[in-house]
Amino acid sequence: MGDLLIEIGQNPHARRLIKQLGLPIPMPERLRRATTPWEERPLHDKDVVLAAGENPTLTAAVAQTLAAAGASPLVVGDDSLLEPFRTPGEAHGRPARKLPLGEELDRRADAIVFDASGIDSIAKLRALYDVFHPLVTKLARCGRVVVLGRPHEGLSPAHGAAQLALEGFVRSIAKEIGKTGSTAQLLCVEPGAEERLPAVLRFFLSPRSAFVSGQPIRISARVPGPKTIPWVQPLQGKIALVTGAARGIGAETARLLAAEGAHVVCLDRPDDDGPTSQLAREIGGSPLLADVSRPEAAAAIVDELTKRGGVDIVVHNAGITRDKTIARMSGEYWDLVLNVNLDAVIRMTDAILAGPMRQGGRIICLSSIAGIAGNVGQTNYAASKAGIIGFIKSLAPAVVDKGITVNAIAPGFIETRLTAAVPVAIREVARRMSNVGQGGLPKDVGEMVVFLASPGAVGITGSVIRTCGGAWIGA
Ligand code: NAP
């Protein structure tokens, strides 16, 4: 589905005319997205600035990540920040250059990474201002800001305040840079999880995270995981189940999982035999026709996955809306939405965990920002999607010992059949409500699924990641 404003915005004559007329029409930057499968050096020749507050503790992990991913690092500050780059810089032929604080950048930076992990007082937060005030205007279009922090729990009140202040900073700068298609995230690294930072940093510095912004993301060492992380074809040899795979987000997710090496079991309703089988053929996967709302579906799914020798990745994507205000909603609408979007997810997960789920598996559920913020006419839908968040938060600690992670993705406005059904005026407003001034594409959610399914995402569990372009609501 086309977004007319973005189409117009790509035309320089139209842009000029609208400017001359003084019209306040938003002209969002079309987001830059990945077009090829995962690669060894996703940041090849990207200019990435590293800066830090006092006593940073994560610069070694950043230096290793940037050098191995092919970036050209530029360090702002004193020589102590250059030191961690020496060995990885030599190993990968990516030496870091230095930019004294306050000096002008001679070109645009593709990303700015700020290590705020050592900031323990309000006074030391000033380093954020000192670095971003001169540099933020030098951020390239569709650039990336990533701030690194530590969990605030268990710290002294002033230290905890300083660390949680980072969330407000990131959410706000994400709104300020969003109009040029740029994003900002806070990666909050638990002590002991430092070696899990590189995989997460790679993803959030890459174009694969184009529609994720203003997010605090927790990285933990709770779930045991692999020592070495494959950067290319990370899902080779994995079996994945995607429900609701016939169209929209499910179809794109299945394609992206297959492109990274997974065999995908594409599940959809028996009425969708045509598109489901066609997709399975296209990606070398297999179709599975079942209505997840039926009580017998879980057994059929377990049968199929057991025949394949087990399952590593489960994506609960099938979902429906039946919108009406509560006063006008039929009991049938309530039951149907709660059954398909929530009860079926719990039934299927229970059956899969008791049978074919393999050690080190990944469970990824589709929630929605409606489940975080609520929405008029969606009491049933929002209840089901908020229930998903309760489900993943309760399940995640229970399966830690099996090396399984459980997460939810909360999409905002994504261009699919589901949102095409929204009245035109509301649709137009919903698109512009994100920091990046446009709706997301199914592949934006698919990229988030692939990342959470990958071995490198083992540090993320029990989390809800909004893929909403930093929508103004539900933050
Ligand atoms: P979609 O285009 O409507 O696709 C959903 C797919 O799920 C369809 O193929 C549908 O089959 C299938 N499905 C529905 N009920 C099923 C059942 N009982 N058993 C098996 N398959 C079933 O939806 P989408 O926009 O891609 O959304 C995918 C997920 O993301 C949903 O969980 C949705 O709530 C969530 N989400 C979407 C957005 C958005 O902006 N699009 C925002 C937030 C959250 P039929 O066509 O036969 O019904």
Side-chain angles (χ1 to χ4, degrees):
M1 193 191 331
D3 183 329
L4 189 63
L5 269 186
I6 295 198
E7 300 305 326
I8 294 172
Q10 302 312 307
N11 180 326
H13 302 296
R15 261 185 193 272
R16 213 171 308 123
L17 181 68
I18 287 167
K19 239 185 188 169
Q20 279 166 2
L21 292 172
L23 291 176
I25 296 179
M27 284 296 177
E29 181 72 10
R30 193 202 290 272
L31 299 181
R32 215 168 284 149
R33 295 176 164 95
T35 52
T36 52
W38 284 28
E39 52 208 336
E40 194 73 40
R41 290 158 75 91
L43 304 179
H44 183 66
D45 281 350
K46 297 284 177 206
D47 289 305
V48 181
V49 172
L50 171 71
E54 260 181 54
N55 304 321
T57 56
L58 298 167
T59 45
V62 176
Q64 179 59 39
T65 309
L66 297 185
S72 298
L74 188 66
V75 165
V76 179
D78 58 37
D79 286 349
S80 65
L81 269 188
L82 276 175
E83 190 48 40
F85 282 89
R86 203 141 292 160
T87 310
E90 278 166 18
H92 297 277
R94 292 279 146 188
R97 292 173 298 133
K98 190 176 144 185
L99 182 78
L101 188 59
E103 210 153 283
E104 281 269 312
L105 256 183
D106 56 358
R107 64 181 105 168
R108 294 211 170 263
D110 296 293
I112 304 172
V113 179
F114 187 99
D115 184 350
S117 58
I119 292 184
D120 58 5
S121 72
I122 309 312
K124 289 178 189 164
L125 283 171
R126 171 68 194 230
L128 285 169
Y129 173 83
D130 291 340
V131 167
F132 282 97
H133 174 68
L135 282 186
V136 77
T137 51
K138 291 286 188 178
L139 189 65
R141 291 182 173 274
C142 299
R144 297 282 180 268
V145 166
V146 175
V147 175
L148 307 175
R150 294 290 195 179
H152 65 95
E153 298 93 349
L155 302 177
S156 73
H159 190 170
Q163 282 297 316
L164 210 52
L166 300 175
E167 273 197 33
F169 176 81
V170 164
R171 288 186 202 279
S172 301
I173 203 165
K175 292 184 192 304
E176 292 181 11
I177 62 179
K179 57 183 179 299
T180 62
S182 297
T183 65
Q185 331 290 345
L186 172 64
L187 304 186
C188 186
V189 185
E190 289 183 6
E194 293 75 8
E195 64 183 33
R196 293 180 173 188
L197 174 60
V200 187
L201 191 54
R202 267 178 180 247
F203 179 77
F204 285 106
L205 287 177
S206 80
R208 296 185 194 281
S209 57
F211 201 60
V212 183
S213 195
Q215 294 271 306
I217 288 150
R218 181 68 73 106
I219 305 171
S220 83
R222 269 170 282 172
V223 179
K227 274 269 166 251
T228 50
I229 304 293
W231 300 129
V232 178
Q233 289 285 284
L235 306 181
Q236 195 66 51
K238 306 280 185 201
I239 305 281
L241 168 74
V242 178
T243 69
R247 57 183 58 78
I249 293 169
E252 206 47 40
T253 297
R255 282 191 189 97
L256 290 171
L257 288 167
E260 299 306 335
H263 177 96
V264 185
V265 177
C266 305
L267 181 150
D268 214 298
R269 293 188 318 116
D271 287 354
D272 283 319
D273 184 7
T276 309
S277 300
Q278 193 183 331
L279 175 72
R281 265 196 309 279
E282 174 196 320
I283 64 173
S286 33
L288 176 58
L289 299 174
D291 180 335
V292 297
S293 69
R294 311 279 308 164
E296 65 275 14
I301 293 167
V302 165
D303 257 15
E304 172 68 22
L305 297 176
T306 309
K307 264 190 251 154
R308 304 215 153 263
V311 66
D312 305 281
I313 300 157
V314 175
V315 186
H316 291 296
N317 166 78
I320 57 169
T321 51
R322 291 292 183 276
D323 296 355
K324 285 274 177 218
T325 54
I326 188 81
R328 292 169 176 269
M329 187 182 296
S330 67
E332 193 194 335
Y333 270 21
W334 177 272
D335 292 342
L336 193 60
V337 169
L338 268 291
N339 185 6
V340 173
N341 293 2
L342 184 55
D343 218 8
V345 171
I346 300 173
R347 282 197 304 271
M348 285 187 281
T349 308
D350 283 349
I352 291 170
L353 278 174
M357 190 88 201
R358 289 179 179 159
Q359 184 82 15
R362 299 279 187 269
I363 298 172
I364 300 152
C365 299
L366 269 290
S367 177
S368 166
I369 55 167
I372 297 171
N375 211 0
V376 173
Q378 292 200 316
T379 49
N380 51 357
Y381 183 74
S384 72
K385 295 299 187 181
I388 285 290
I389 296 174
F391 175 63
I392 63 106
K393 286 196 180 292
S394 307
L395 181 60
V399 292
V400 158
D401 292 347
K402 295 178 177 167
I404 296 172
T405 66
V406 190
N407 292 291
I409 296 174
F413 184 93
I414 306 291
E415 307 279 0
T416 69
R417 180 187 64 166
L418 202 95
T419 44
V422 172
V424 175
I426 299 177
R427 189 163 69 217
E428 200 44 38
V429 171
R431 277 177 176 149
R432 309 300 156 217
M433 273 172 69
S434 76
N435 295 346
V436 291
Q438 58 200 282
L441 300 181
K443 79 177 291 188
D444 295 327
V445 183
E447 295 278 15
M448 196 66 236
V449 172
V450 171
F451 171 64
L452 288 174
S454 70
V458 65
I460 302 177
T461 194
S463 294
V464 183
I465 303 196
R466 290 183 295 121
T467 303
C468 60
W472 293 347
I473 52 164

